[in-house]
Structures are given as structure tokens and as C-alpha cells.
Amino acid sequence: MVDVRTLEDEALHLLDEIKKASFLKEGDLFVVGCSTSEVAGSRIGTSGSEEIAKVMYAVLNKLKEDTGIEPIFQCCEHLNRALLMERHMMKQQGYEEVSAVPVPKAGGSMASYAYKQLQDPVLVESVKGDAGIDIGDTLIGMHLKQVAVPVRISQRHIGSAHVNIARTRPRLIGGERASYEKPSQDVACD
């Protein structure tokens, strides 16, 4: 079993790296995929831990407080990777609620724990997240806006789980005449 104190230290270090990368903006939908089994050193879906989920949730909640992001928790494949969020965010974003309650064996320990912490939790089938973290190769990419861009960090693991972080950017459209820099106010197009 992973040492909870070490896990918390690793997660807080990762939080600092995310904040220093300066890609998060207030109100961003931040998709969280977290296999607590992988964090503990087991194969995904085999030995979930709400104790690990509790540590991860606390750190993600601190990230929310520090940056203003909205964490959205991805469930496991047994709930088709549905996402857990606060009802007010679902309504604000125009998403549609689906019926399920995540539990450790169907939804995963992270989503199950988060469900108990949120004020008015709901599940939705999919979102278009602005950024996200994938802890334990849970495959969050399906829930990110196009175009997803990796965020390079020095800390590549939490416990035994591999960590990936992504942000998104608007699509670059146009051709050879297109400019992607914001023009000064005195530039005109003829």
C-alpha cells in the first residue's frame, strides 16, 4: 500500500507544477481521471481505495480554491466514463443529466468519493473540458475540447500511477495568409 503522507506530498508538488504552468483560468472545466488502483501499484480497476481518493480530492479541491477551476470527475468504464459534476455547472454548460450513482465497483473509488463530497452531484455522459489530469492512464482525452496539448511537467507519477496533464487551445484555421497573433489596433484588412 502506498504511504498516504508520501502520496499527499507528491500530489501537492504536482499541484504546484500545474499552477506554475499558468494555463488554467477561472471557470475552466478540469477533467479528472484517477485510478486509485494504479496509484496503489495495482492494475486499474482491481483494488480501488477511497483513502487514496480522499487525498487526491483534497489536493484537487485546493487547486479549485487556488485557480477557480471546476473539477469534473470521470467515472470508470463500467459507467461508460460518465462524468460527475455539480448540478449548477451542468445547467450552466447545457449538459444533460444521466441516471447513475458512482460506487467503487461501478464508477471507481475517486468518483464514488467525490460524489459524497459535492453539494449537488450529477452525472453527465460527456463534456468538452478545457484541461485535465489523467492519473493512471484512465483515458480522459474523449472529454477534452479540440485541440488537446500536453503540459510537460517534471513529476510523471503519483504513487505508482503514470500522470499526464493536458490543456486545450482553439483550432488554428486559415492558410498561409492567416495570422495567429492578435493585431495592434491600427492594422486594417484591405
Side-chain angles (χ1 to χ4, degrees):
M1 183 67 179
V2 68
D3 176 56
V4 175
R5 191 70 139 171
T6 301
L7 175 63
E8 184 177 28
D9 289 344
E10 290 175 355
L12 287 169
H13 181 286
L14 182 62
L15 173 102
D16 287 339
E17 281 199 70
I18 292 170
K19 289 189 302 188
K20 285 177 185 171
S22 301
F23 62 92
L24 295 176
K25 295 174 186 65
E26 187 171 340
D28 277 356
L29 300 182
F30 190 77
V31 178
V32 176
C34 179
S35 168
T36 60
S37 296
E38 290 279 335
V39 171
S42 299
R43 198 180 93 243
I44 194 169
T46 61
S47 60
S49 164
E50 285 201 358
E51 182 180 19
I52 291 172
K54 179 179 180 179
V55 170
M56 298 309 302
Y57 184 87
V59 170
L60 290 162
N61 200 47
K62 178 155 179 41
L63 183 63
K64 176 181 179 173
E65 290 170 4
D66 291 351
T67 64
I69 55 114
E70 293 291 338
I72 298 172
F73 298 90
Q74 178 180 276
C75 295
C76 74
E77 65 181 293
H78 296 98
L79 291 183
N80 295 327
R81 295 195 186 357
L83 297 123
L84 175 67
M85 63 190 335
E86 291 283 7
R87 182 176 303 279
H88 72 89
M89 285 306 298
M90 176 197 69
K91 289 182 176 183
Q92 179 183 335
Q93 297 294 321
Y95 295 132
E96 186 175 337
E97 182 178 1
V98 295
S99 293
V101 173
V103 295
K105 295 290 183 189
S109 294
M110 185 74 240
S112 175
Y113 183 82
Y115 184 87
K116 297 169 194 166
Q117 306 311 306
L118 298 180
Q119 291 179 8
D120 192 7
V122 295
L123 287 182
V124 299
E125 211 164 0
S126 65
V127 300
K128 296 279 187 193
D130 299 294
I133 186 168
D134 187 326
I135 302 168
D137 300 320
T138 62
L139 304 176
I140 65 167
M142 65 194 282
H143 296 302
L144 296 177
K145 292 177 185 173
Q146 294 182 350
V147 172
V149 178
V151 175
R152 300 294 181 206
I153 53 171
S154 65
Q155 185 173 335
R156 305 293 296 177
H157 290 86
I158 292 181
S160 296
H162 180 247
V163 174
N164 277 311
I165 297 172
R167 65 175 179 82
T168 59
R169 65 157 173 79
R171 296 177 188 166
L172 303 177
I173 62 168
E176 65 183 53
R177 292 182 59 179
S179 174
Y180 301 108
E181 298 295 320
K182 293 189 180 202
S184 63
Q185 292 182 351
D186 40 327
V187 174
C189 183
D190 295 323

